[in-house]
Amino acid sequence: MIRRLFYLLGLAPSPEEEEVDEADYDQIEERRTRLLQSPAPQAKVIICQGDLCAEKKEELAEALHRGQIIFLDLRHSDPSLGQSTLDFVCGVAYAMKGHVMRLSPGIFLAAPRKGLLEVWEEKEEEEEEAGD
């Protein structure tokens, strides 16, 4: 059974072909290497800067769908292009029940799910003194 599976995957000769010549052996080894090779690692976080974000809107949407977190640096982009990009990313994140957060003026973080982000904030001294 395993021999048939290897044959279907191209890792072994057919059951009828018991003799394997050198050329077939090289092909089998090449296939085995490709099959057992680990896939290339994929980025967990994407950083997009400037007007390039507007050009790559569709890729950013696909990245959100794949579960990746996106940092948008729109500080040096054209204001209208930056706003349209931000609106698009916000729409995609909203549709996926994700979240977009403003980190600083012109820098935003988009996550595909709200559970991926956790916000820890320091309380200011005035608020602490008022509570005492």
Side-chain angles (χ1 to χ4, degrees):
M1 183 71 165
I2 295 208
R3 199 167 173 86
R4 282 182 152 173
L5 176 63
F6 278 2
Y7 169 69
L8 290 174
L9 293 174
L11 297 175
S14 67
E16 296 83 30
E17 301 172 4
E18 288 300 320
E19 295 180 22
V20 178
D21 62 2
E22 194 63 31
D24 289 338
Y25 183 74
D26 290 340
Q27 285 182 341
I28 291 169
E29 283 303 312
E30 180 184 337
R31 289 178 185 159
R32 183 176 292 142
T33 303
R34 273 186 300 173
L35 182 69
L36 299 177
Q37 182 180 13
S38 62
Q42 188 177 24
K44 303 291 184 212
V45 176
I46 295 177
I47 300 171
C48 190
Q49 297 176 323
D51 290 337
L52 180 65
C53 297
E55 297 171 17
K56 303 273 186 184
K57 283 196 274 193
E58 287 79 21
E59 286 96 349
L60 293 174
E62 290 173 11
L64 279 174
H65 282 286
R66 286 190 305 264
Q68 296 171 309
I69 295 175
I70 299 173
F71 282 97
L72 294 171
D73 183 358
L74 302 173
R75 292 178 293 181
H76 303 292
S77 67
D78 179 64
S80 63
L81 279 176
Q83 185 63 50
S84 70
T85 303
L86 182 62
D87 291 342
F88 180 79
V89 170
C90 286
V92 171
Y94 177 77
M96 297 179 59
K97 298 190 184 330
H99 189 68
V100 176
M101 178 185 297
R102 180 176 172 248
L103 301 176
S104 68
I107 299 178
F108 301 88
L109 173 74
R113 292 181 304 278
K114 287 185 181 180
L116 291 176
L117 298 178
E118 187 173 321
V119 179
W120 294 5
E121 296 180 11
E122 290 185 22
K123 294 182 180 179
E124 293 186 27
E125 290 181 27
E126 295 175 14
E127 292 178 5
E128 289 179 9
E129 291 175 4
D132 290 334

